[in-house]
Amino acid sequence: MTPRHDVVIIGAGLAGLAAARRIARAGLSPLVLEAAAAVGGRVATEERDGFLLDRGFQVFLDSYPEARAVLDLPALQLARFEAGALVRHAAGVGRVADPWRSPVAGARSLVSGVFTPADAWRMLRLRADALRASRRNAVASLDDTTANALRVRGFSDRAVDGFFRPFFGGVFLDAELDAPTSWFEFLFGMFATGYATLPRDGMRAIPQQLAAALPAGAVRTSARVRSVSEGRVELASGEQLTA
């Protein structure tokens, strides 16, 4: 007999696991299929010679509202990085710090060579706007690009090329800063109100926690999907699943 589930989800990344959680809480039967041997997708950690190595550059912002609603943060045993950034420029390395959390270091940021004095005032305005955006839990919309928004706000080329482009270009994986302004402001607010952290057991602990909260048998790893049709999923093994 062909096994039947209410919903079949392909991919046990964070989105697939969170969707399965929502479906299970609604009283339905989800099945998550993952081609890899472990859950998590891009959020993965390897163990080598006693070290935990997260794949790619990954940190977890403990201020994310959705994460606070879905995850048990204390159970992750998060370790914080100090708020701020080190920026390398022609004159050396300058530190950018949050004046609300590190007043002395924040004041020194003004003479770090990263910003002009006028940029400091613009940063205060940006922080206030970003906090309002983060409280709205904004999602990205098709508004202006981040690069254009920074120009409109009057930030100097020194600030854009020395801080915003390398920092948020790394966050967005987009050095041109073409990400929507609403998404940039939301993330800026998250950095301003929270901390970049890592779970004690590596980033893999996040998808593992999501998967552990699902009903028994709701996740199948090493289950590669060959094709999808209406109400039916075929695995590479030839097994047929209906939903």
Side-chain angles (χ1 to χ4, degrees):
M1 182 177 178
T2 303
R4 182 176 177 83
H5 304 271
D6 292 314
V7 180
V8 173
I9 298 168
I10 300 173
L14 298 185
L17 294 171
R21 177 180 181 273
R22 181 72 61 89
I23 290 165
R25 289 197 166 189
L28 301 175
S29 169
L31 176 64
V32 185
L33 302 174
E34 171 57 49
V39 299
R42 296 182 181 183
V43 183
T45 306
E46 297 181 12
E47 294 187 44
R48 298 289 180 89
D49 300 326
F51 292 93
L52 296 178
L53 308 176
D54 290 323
R55 292 184 186 173
F57 169 64
Q58 300 193 57
V59 292
F60 174 72
L61 288 177
D62 60 4
S63 51
Y64 282 140
E66 185 67 13
R68 286 181 170 273
V70 171
L71 297 172
D72 180 355
L73 298 186
L76 294 175
Q77 300 184 61
L78 300 173
R80 292 177 173 180
F81 290 98
E82 188 173 350
L86 297 176
V87 180
R88 180 177 294 278
H89 50 76
V93 176
R95 181 185 176 190
V96 177
D98 184 346
W100 275 265
R101 288 183 278 196
S102 302
V104 175
R108 289 175 179 167
S109 298
L110 302 180
V111 293
S112 65
V114 179
F115 301 113
T116 68
D119 287 327
W121 170 249
R122 296 181 184 108
M123 284 289 282
L124 297 179
R125 295 282 302 275
L126 173 59
R127 186 182 190 277
D129 292 343
L131 291 180
R132 284 193 290 271
S134 66
R135 283 193 289 268
R136 293 195 302 269
N137 195 11
V139 295
S141 58
L142 296 179
D143 52 17
D144 201 3
T145 67
T146 297
N148 285 338
L150 293 173
R151 252 182 243 111
V152 170
R153 285 180 175 272
F155 280 101
S156 68
D157 291 341
R158 184 197 304 180
V160 173
D161 295 331
F163 173 69
F164 290 107
R165 197 177 302 281
F167 188 89
F168 283 95
V171 174
F172 296 140
L173 297 180
D174 169 29
E176 299 304 314
L177 299 181
D178 287 331
T181 307
S182 56
W183 183 228
F184 162 72
E185 290 183 343
F186 174 75
L187 284 176
F188 195 96
M190 293 295 98
F191 278 108
T193 56
Y195 285 88
T197 72
L198 285 176
R200 178 181 177 180
D201 293 327
M203 290 293 286
R204 65 181 178 183
I206 296 173
Q208 286 176 349
Q209 185 183 104
L210 289 173
L214 295 175
V219 179
R220 287 180 57 179
T221 55
S222 300
R224 184 174 297 277
V225 172
R226 174 184 293 162
S227 65
V228 178
S229 57
E230 185 174 354
R232 185 177 299 274
V233 174
E234 182 180 357
L235 302 184
S237 64
E239 182 181 356
Q240 302 278 336
L241 302 170
T242 58

